[in-house]
Amino acid sequence: MPRGNTGFPAPSGRTELIVLLLVSACAFAAVPLALGGIGLGWDALNHHVYLGWIADELRFDRDFQAASGQSTQYPYLYWPLYKLVSAGWSGPSAGVLLVLFNLVAVPPLWMLARAGVPEASWYGVAMRWLAVALAFLTGVVLSLFDSTSNDLLAAIPLVWAIALAIAPLESASRRRLPVRRTLLLSGLCAGAAVAFKFSNGPLALVLPLAWCMHGRGLRQRLVHVAWGCAATVAGFALFYGWWGWQLWTHYGNPLYPFCENWFGPLRAYLGWRP
């Protein structure tokens, strides 16, 4: 019997992804429900909720380093946590809602799995589902399902950037994708990931290797890399611009408290005083 031949046709790609999302939602929600809520560690009490408060209402004119250097971290991913806490949601309910945000990572992981296992059979479905499950079953990722940290949310755009960079190759035999548009979306996602968390920057630097795989000649490949890099800069400016401007206005450094040795001379040259 051929591999994966059960007598029933395997689901289409869209149906497979929808069912996978539903199963993933149940599995994700089971974690905070089984634990009785979401953990509130030192970081949550020290600055996670406070950052969400800053995202909801700027407090530079009221507090001075209320959460020390963490007060200047990108705050907007913590806004849902702050709203849930201020609204008095119970631990299990808040935990389920926060963990379901991670479903956004399932489609790009499935796209990457399909690039490696493109078989339209039950065997292919099983291998793709196992690949997605393995991505979430590492100790670090599982620990974030019971945490208020934004590490996983901040990494999701980077996963999308990688998946979109690989997608045109995977779909070449299926249907034609507008390569340049897909690579532009990949760059935008990479820029968003860096804006959300600067530690994503070194990982984003390897994306040009994926972008240069598209194209027939050296010139076309370089053009695709240039478009991807430009989109990354645009994505960073789009998602970080407002917050960076707030930091520059109040502290004279859009990355404060990092890289002060870069912006101090620039402020002196421009005669700028925050």
Side-chain angles (χ1 to χ4, degrees), residues 15-216:
T15 302
E16 178 188 340
L17 179 56
I18 291 174
V19 176
L20 177 60
L21 284 168
L22 293 175
V23 173
S24 300
C26 295
F28 290 0
V31 175
L33 289 177
L35 296 174
I38 192 168
L40 291 177
W42 183 87
D43 285 337
L45 299 176
N46 181 59
H47 66 278
H48 288 178
V49 176
Y50 182 75
L51 283 172
W53 193 7
I54 292 179
D56 192 71
E57 178 186 1
L58 289 175
R59 304 187 56 81
F60 292 117
D61 59 338
R62 305 177 189 180
D63 303 327
F64 178 74
Q65 296 288 290
S68 188
Q70 289 92 343
S71 301
T72 59
Q73 289 182 0
Y74 190 83
Y76 300 108
L77 295 183
Y78 290 110
W79 181 81
L81 172 65
Y82 165 75
K83 299 301 289 186
L84 293 175
V85 170
S86 61
W89 279 48
S90 66
S93 300
V96 168
L97 181 59
L98 291 174
V99 81
L100 287 180
F101 290 154
N102 298 318
L103 286 174
V104 183
V106 173
L109 289 171
W110 177 79
M111 291 166 60
L112 290 171
R114 191 174 64 169
V117 187
E119 293 188 38
S121 64
W122 286 108
Y123 171 82
V125 171
M127 292 300 101
R128 288 189 288 272
W129 281 39
L130 284 173
V132 174
L134 286 173
F136 288 103
L137 288 178
T138 64
V140 174
V141 174
L142 283 178
S143 67
L144 294 176
F145 280 15
D146 179 35
S147 169
T148 56
S149 176
N150 72 343
D151 294 77
L152 192 53
L153 282 178
I156 289 176
L158 189 60
V159 180
W160 271 103
I162 297 172
L164 289 169
I166 302 299
L169 294 177
E170 183 275 332
S171 62
S173 61
R174 299 170 180 264
R175 57 188 176 87
R176 292 185 176 274
L177 284 179
V179 174
R180 183 168 296 181
R181 185 184 306 172
T182 305
L183 296 183
L184 285 174
L185 289 175
S186 175
L188 286 173
C189 290
V194 178
F196 293 164
K197 210 168 189 69
F198 291 154
S199 56
N200 289 326
L203 297 174
L205 291 176
V206 304
L207 280 170
L209 297 177
W211 296 332
C212 74
M213 292 190 296
H214 307 283
R216 297 181 179 179

Side-chain angles (χ1 to χ4, degrees), residues 222-236:
L222 292 177
V223 168
H224 287 160
V225 170
W227 277 103
C229 292
T232 301
V233 174
F236 179 82

